[in-house]
Amino acid sequence: MTQPLLSLVVLGFRNFDVTTRACLESLVAWLDDPDVEVLVVDNGSPDDSALKTAQWCAEHPQTRCLLSESNRGFAGGMNWGAAQARGQWLLLVNNDTVFPVSTLDALMQVIHEVPSDVAMLGPITNAAGNGQRLWKPGADHSQWLEIGQWLNEHPTHQLMPTYRCDFFCIAVRRDVWDQLGGLDQAFGMGYYEDFDFSLRVNAAGYRQMITEDVFILHLGSATFQGSASARALIKRNKKLLKMKHPDARFEHTRIGNLVVLQSYKALEQIGLWSSALAVRRELRLGALTGDAPRSFLKRWLWKKKVARSL
């Protein structure tokens, strides 16, 4: 059997009809693509999501259905799914994402072009905690899907630097994933295992980059959002990350976005500017404005910093 270029591991937990179904439906266009493999994991859901996952996969036999008897946590669930994938690249997919038209076509094109020292690719999105975030005030779900399709179909062929990647959806070279042993399951149910993996990628001598040519809609933390247990887990795992990586930098989203905008400026100065990059710059400036500090003094200082940088 021919090895696919890309293996998607879609991890679901509870509320299949609210999150996972929409994610899977957005992937149907690629189920017959020989370069794409889709593995659907139910991570020990306590409701009827496992049954619905199995039913959806039975209706789409091109997929592989993996039903865990227990909740392995984010790291454990992704590791379990990745261990059964065959692709040259893994695409770890949280179920609170939706793929606009042309997303995987754009991603596979980037993979074909990517330099050999790049081991991880983070897509751009509407909701992330780093420089992957774009923003347009007032844009709703359907408008973001239209924006995403336009971005996917108007490539820039540019990769942007990032200190870490956000794992709402992440592409990782399979050989590097295996070399690093996947995600660290010490982080339990979730949070900061993506930060940890990003730092381990850096330490191993590989580059991780933001691809400007792949947009994925992120609905945002649909599984754990706002719960007391989530806040406790965040606190516990941040402490664990600091123990593992004492020099880790905890940067605000706006810092990563400013770094990308500075890279845009450098491209403009050497004549590598395009109308496609101009559209992305406006969306990044929107995020930079929306993520500005709340206090008057800090906001004023931030605006001065941005003005000097851009």
Side-chain angles (χ1 to χ4, degrees):
M1 187 178 295
T2 303
Q3 183 183 26
L5 176 66
L6 190 62
S7 288
L8 281 70
V9 180
V10 182
L11 184 66
F13 179 71
R14 296 189 305 201
N15 301 321
F16 178 88
D17 290 321
V18 177
T19 52
T20 309
R21 184 183 296 279
C23 178
L24 294 176
E25 292 293 344
S26 72
L27 294 170
V28 167
W30 295 283
L31 295 185
D32 290 320
D33 189 326
D35 281 328
V36 176
E37 175 186 47
V38 178
L39 297 87
V40 187
V41 179
D42 180 83
N43 204 11
S45 295
D47 58 9
D48 61 355
S49 293
L51 175 61
K52 290 182 176 179
T53 298
Q55 290 173 339
W56 195 92
C57 290
E59 294 166 3
H60 302 85
Q62 309 97 314
T63 62
R64 294 173 61 191
C65 182
L66 303 175
L67 306 180
S68 177
E69 294 182 357
S70 61
N71 185 354
R72 300 168 182 261
F74 182 83
M78 285 300 188
N79 287 351
W80 186 55
Q84 300 175 70
R86 300 181 297 107
Q88 300 170 42
W89 282 72
L90 298 169
L91 187 68
L92 309 182
V93 181
N94 210 0
N95 66 335
D96 61 350
T97 54
V98 177
F99 289 63
V101 173
S102 301
T103 302
L104 292 187
D105 303 314
L107 176 57
M108 288 188 284
Q109 183 60 43
V110 173
I111 288 174
H112 284 304
E113 298 174 355
V114 74
S116 59
D117 65 336
V118 173
M120 197 154 70
L121 293 166
I124 49 178
T125 186
N126 60 299
N130 63 352
Q132 293 171 248
R133 170 174 147 83
L134 314 181
W135 189 246
K136 183 176 182 179
D140 61 18
H141 183 111
S142 60
Q143 289 171 315
W144 273 116
L145 289 176
E146 292 175 2
I147 292 169
Q149 179 180 351
W150 191 95
L151 295 171
N152 291 335
E153 294 178 351
H154 292 79
T156 67
H157 305 285
Q158 297 297 328
L159 300 176
M160 294 294 148
T162 183
Y163 177 55
R164 66 171 185 85
C165 285
D166 196 321
F167 275 33
F168 66 94
C169 184
I170 188 71
V172 186
R173 268 175 42 193
R174 180 56 187 261
D175 60 335
V176 175
W177 174 268
D178 290 341
Q179 177 186 335
L180 299 181
L183 298 177
D184 186 347
Q185 295 180 210
F187 290 91
M189 291 296 105
Y191 299 112
Y192 287 104
E193 64 281 286
D194 54 352
F195 200 157
D196 170 70
F197 191 83
S198 292
L199 294 179
R200 289 193 284 131
V201 166
N202 293 340
Y206 299 103
R207 285 195 296 161
Q208 57 185 310
M209 307 294 285
I210 298 170
T211 168
E212 295 293 285
D213 294 346
V214 183
F215 180 94
I216 294 171
L217 179 65
H218 184 205
L219 304 178
S221 301
T223 303
F224 298 112
Q225 191 173 37
S227 68
S229 60
R231 291 192 293 272
L233 190 58
I234 289 170
K235 183 177 180 180
R236 177 244 186 208
N237 284 357
K238 186 175 184 179
K239 182 178 180 180
L240 174 59
L241 184 80
K242 288 179 177 179
M243 290 176 60
K244 291 189 66 177
H245 308 280
D247 297 328
R249 304 196 309 267
F250 294 86
E251 299 176 343
H252 192 280
T253 305
R254 57 179 170 262
I255 300 300
N257 219 328
L258 182 58
V259 169
V260 174
L261 284 164
Q262 290 168 338
S263 297
Y264 284 3
K265 182 179 179 180
L267 290 172
E268 192 171 12
Q269 290 173 337
I270 61 175
L272 292 179
W273 195 243
S274 67
S275 58
L277 276 171
V279 171
R280 289 160 172 82
R281 180 168 63 181
E282 288 305 307
L283 292 168
R284 288 194 176 280
L285 287 171
L288 212 60
T289 300
D291 292 331
R294 294 182 181 180
S295 77
F296 175 81
L297 178 58
K298 289 182 178 179
R299 182 181 290 268
W300 179 76
L301 292 171
W302 171 246
K303 287 182 177 179
K304 286 191 67 175
K305 181 176 181 178
V306 170
R308 288 195 303 269
S309 301
L310 302 180

